[in-house]
């Protein structure tokens, strides 16, 4: 399967965000944008008012680590989001929320925390463009990869899901290969890319 690399700007220098994005663009397929509200996760990142100033040619995935994520769907689409990824744990009516993403003009995705099973998304697989399997507890970049999440990725493929799917958290060249072996085709990574001396080489190494 063709691997897509998706650097997360959470480890970028926010003081010069456009330069930072330009530095990774040549070897990237998608820009991963981590939105955190200080409530769903114990950290606050940034929102649409920041992202509307970010210039990029890359498609943008917004990973929404917030409660009631639907409140800002329109703002995120206006800011440049192509795909909106909500947490299963934040949505009681998951199908309804995914419908709202489509209505807002974006592609729908879901993210699942380490303690959440693959079965939790079984009923909505037909709607999904992307499944993001958290391989750390969401909230911070720079944490260690949870290898026990690898079977969950395989399980999602075994359920017949053929869309984009991949890990988020602790991804480097070695862990990316392990995830690809379990059917993952999108590699989201923050610190491994942005802390690398040669960011473009780091991105290439994620392709396996
Ligand atoms: C974690 C975020 C991740 C994070 C990844 O809550 O969703 O996207 O930025 O960071 P690394 O790759 O450093 O683990
Ligand atoms: Zn993320």
């Amino acid at each position: 399967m063709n691997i897509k690399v998706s650097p997360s700007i959470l480890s970028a220098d926010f003081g010069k965000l456009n330069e930072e994005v330009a530095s990774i663009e040549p070897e990237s397929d998608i820009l991963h944008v981590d939105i955190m509200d200080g409530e769903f996760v114990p950290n606050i990142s940034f929102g649409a008012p920041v992202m509307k100033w970010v210039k990029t040619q890359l498609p943008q995935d917004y990973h929404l680590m917030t409660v009631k994520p639907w409140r800002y769907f329109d703002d995120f689409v206006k800011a440049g989001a192509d795909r909106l990824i909500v947490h299963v744990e934040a949505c009681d009516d998951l199908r309804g929320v995914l419908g709202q993403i489509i209505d807002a003009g974006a592609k729908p995705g879901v993210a699942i925390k380490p303690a959440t099973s693959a079965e939790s998304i079984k009923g909505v697989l037909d709607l999904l463009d992307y499944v993001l399997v958290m391989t750390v507890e969401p909230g911070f970049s720079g944490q260690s990869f949870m290898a026990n999440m690898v079977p969950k990725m395989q399980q999602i493929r075994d359920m017949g899901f053929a869309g984009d799917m991949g890990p988020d958290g602790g991804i480097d060249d070695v862990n990316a290969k392990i995830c690809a072996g379990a059917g993952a085709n999108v590699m989201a990574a923050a610190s491994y890319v942005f802390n690398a001396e040669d960011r473009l080489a780091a991105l290439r190494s994620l392709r396996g």
Side-chain angles (χ1 to χ4, degrees):
M1 209 175 217
N2 214 12
I3 301 291
K4 301 178 194 175
V5 285
S6 181
S8 158
I9 54 174
L10 194 61
S11 288
D13 179 342
F14 291 169
K16 47 175 184 171
L17 209 38
N18 275 317
E19 278 171 56
E20 293 282 87
V21 170
S23 79
I24 53 88
E25 262 194 354
E27 288 289 346
S28 300
D29 300 292
I30 303 167
L31 192 68
H32 185 97
V33 177
D34 284 313
I35 307 286
M36 303 179 178
D37 67 350
E39 200 173 338
F40 185 77
V41 287
N43 196 9
I44 297 175
S45 57
F46 51 81
V50 169
M51 286 311 294
K52 76 173 187 193
W53 295 102
V54 172
K55 294 180 192 70
T56 179
Q57 301 302 317
L58 298 171
Q60 298 180 45
D61 277 351
Y62 279 45
H63 175 194
L64 306 180
M65 288 161 275
T66 77
V67 298
K68 300 181 184 161
W70 49 87
R71 292 171 295 170
Y72 303 108
F73 286 167
D74 290 335
D75 292 345
F76 291 137
V77 169
K78 270 191 212 120
D82 295 282
R83 203 152 54 173
L84 294 175
I85 301 148
V86 292
H87 266 272
V88 171
E89 305 84 6
C91 304
D92 289 335
D93 174 18
L94 186 56
R95 214 175 168 83
V97 174
L98 297 172
Q100 280 181 263
I101 295 176
I102 296 166
D103 290 345
K107 293 179 191 161
V110 291
I112 46 180
K113 284 169 63 164
T116 305
S117 68
E119 279 83 24
S120 67
I121 58 167
K122 216 169 186 172
V124 295
L125 286 180
D126 58 314
L127 285 182
L128 296 177
D129 201 69
Y130 187 18
V131 178
L132 190 62
V133 177
M134 294 312 299
T135 42
V136 296
E137 284 300 337
F140 301 91
S141 53
Q143 303 181 77
S144 304
F145 176 72
M146 296 169 69
N148 55 341
M149 293 298 120
V150 173
K152 203 192 276 189
M153 290 180 235
Q154 188 62 61
Q155 222 181 319
I156 290 164
R157 287 300 183 215
D158 291 346
M159 278 159 37
F161 183 66
D164 280 347
M165 190 276 292
D168 186 16
I171 292 303
D172 58 16
D173 52 346
V174 173
N175 295 332
K177 272 192 196 71
I178 295 170
C179 295
N185 73 309
V186 182
M187 302 299 165
S191 52
Y192 177 69
V193 173
F194 280 96
N195 297 346
E197 245 170 68
D198 185 342
R199 291 176 177 176
L200 298 182
L203 288 160
R204 278 192 295 272
S205 76
L206 293 177
R207 295 187 194 282

